[in-house]
Amino acid sequence: CSKEELANAVGQQLQADEGGVSRFGAMAVALKQISGDYVMLTPPYVALLCRTFITLEGMLGDDPEMASFNIYEVALPFAISRVLSPGTLRGKASLRGALLREGKGPAMPNWQALASLMEDEKHEDAGAGADTFGAQAGV
């Protein structure tokens, strides 16, 4: 299947589950529920991290101060820094290709791509955007 199809399936499942957009455990449940329709290979370290977060959420589940806690909001700054700091040559080339236009002379910002990202954000803020993830496999 395409990345968009998988992203839409995950997004729909997360929206359908209570706490789906704020709890990591809900994402694990959503992925389990769609695993019959999609082949997903998970490295052991990812499975271990998932178990860790689910355990922490379970330990704090009865804490009234944690009722409004959103794991994704807390993790967002770290995730953005990781996306903008790829560790592989392929990832660096992909990011550079997405944000810069290279030709004769120095690389220049790809204003059209950046404007497109901002336009997509406006549509998502208005509720018109689909739940898709722009990650590239292997990056």
Side-chain angles (χ1 to χ4, degrees):
C1 75
S2 70
K3 290 183 275 187
E4 290 78 16
E5 180 184 343
L6 178 61
N8 285 331
V10 171
Q12 288 174 358
Q13 192 64 48
L14 288 175
Q15 295 288 335
D17 290 342
E18 181 182 341
V21 294
S22 63
R23 292 184 304 113
F24 194 82
M27 180 186 286
V29 170
L31 291 174
K32 173 69 175 143
Q33 289 175 336
I34 66 169
S35 66
D37 299 326
Y38 300 94
V39 176
M40 291 180 267
L41 303 176
T42 306
Y45 67 89
V46 172
L48 182 60
L49 285 172
C50 290
R51 287 177 38 192
T52 301
F53 282 115
I54 292 168
T55 300
L56 289 171
E57 281 183 348
M59 291 170 54
L60 299 171
D62 294 335
D63 188 344
E65 292 181 22
M66 298 305 291
S68 63
F69 180 76
N70 186 327
I71 187 77
Y72 303 114
E73 288 177 1
V74 173
L76 184 61
F78 176 76
I80 289 173
S81 71
R82 292 286 296 162
V83 167
L84 296 177
S85 304
T88 64
L89 292 176
R90 182 178 175 192
K92 290 175 185 178
S94 179
L95 180 62
R96 186 174 180 91
L99 299 178
L100 298 175
R101 187 175 315 157
E102 300 190 57
K104 294 181 180 177
M108 298 296 292
N110 185 347
W111 297 116
Q112 184 175 356
L114 294 170
S116 176
L117 288 172
M118 293 176 69
E119 194 63 34
D120 288 345
E121 182 66 25
K122 286 181 190 175
H123 290 296
E124 287 179 17
D125 287 344
D131 288 334
T132 59
F133 303 98
Q136 294 182 356
V139 178

